[in-house]
Amino acid sequence: MDFRIGQGFDLHRLRGGDGLCVGGVFIACEYAVEAHSDGDVALHALCDALLGALALGDIGQHFPDTDPRWAGADSRDLLRHVCGLVRDAGYVPGNVDITVVAQRPRLAAHIPQMRARIAEDLGIGVDRVSVKATTHEGVDAIGEVRALAAHAVVTVRT
């Protein structure tokens, strides 16, 4: 059995709005994400981690923001596509650990649903998906609620 590890990161600016997607879950709030797709930082970081584990490039190579096909794209669709690439390479996701960094909106109440959706999209048990949320304690663009970010680590195995 062959194991690989990948890590990913994503960050998007925030603006005024009526909600945003994080971890495949729409969260109604006074913010929106500036992005070509739906701007789901957690799923974008996860896609990059999966791609990185197998040296398959990055999310920008597979879904360029210069391509109108991806305008407003649902990041869950992107994740399922990336998972298909992983499976086509002879691997399956092992486990996922995601940390979302956002001063606001508060994410704790949404984490169980995020975990369930990510597990469903990857075809793995929810016990293999960890999602955590933290703030930046008022520091920098994230702490000043001008951005949010996510870090992801994933294992894949044959």
Side-chain angles (χ1 to χ4, degrees):
M1 190 176 297
D2 184 29
F3 286 93
R4 305 240 185 137
I5 298 170
Q7 70 87 32
F9 173 79
D10 194 39
L11 178 138
H12 283 289
R13 289 183 184 158
L14 291 173
R15 59 175 168 74
D18 61 1
L20 47 85
C21 289
V22 179
V25 175
F26 181 79
I27 301 168
C29 64
E30 66 271 24
Y31 305 101
V33 175
E34 291 183 16
H36 186 66
S37 68
D38 67 7
D40 188 324
V41 293
L43 297 190
H44 292 183
L46 178 54
C47 284
D48 266 347
L50 287 162
L51 292 166
L54 297 171
L56 295 175
D58 63 39
I59 193 170
Q61 291 172 308
H62 291 269
F63 313 105
D65 63 6
T66 55
D67 188 335
R69 289 182 300 164
W70 308 120
D74 183 333
S75 293
R76 291 186 73 194
D77 292 335
L78 306 183
L79 178 59
R80 288 187 289 260
H81 178 82
V82 167
C83 192
L85 296 175
V86 169
R87 291 183 190 282
D88 289 348
Y91 289 80
V92 294
N95 71 299
V96 172
D97 187 14
I98 299 170
T99 302
V100 181
V101 187
Q103 199 69 33
R104 285 191 297 274
R106 294 293 192 186
L107 302 175
H110 304 282
I111 288 175
Q113 189 177 14
M114 291 179 197
R115 291 179 64 215
R117 290 200 175 161
I118 292 166
E120 177 185 341
D121 291 342
L122 295 179
I124 61 177
V126 72
D127 63 322
R128 294 179 173 270
V129 177
S130 172
V131 177
K132 304 175 300 294
T134 191
T135 69
H136 249 211
E137 302 296 332
V139 177
D140 73 17
I142 295 172
E144 295 168 0
V145 197
R146 293 185 289 121
L148 76 162
H151 300 266
V153 178
V154 64
T155 62
V156 296
R157 60 181 170 77
T158 54

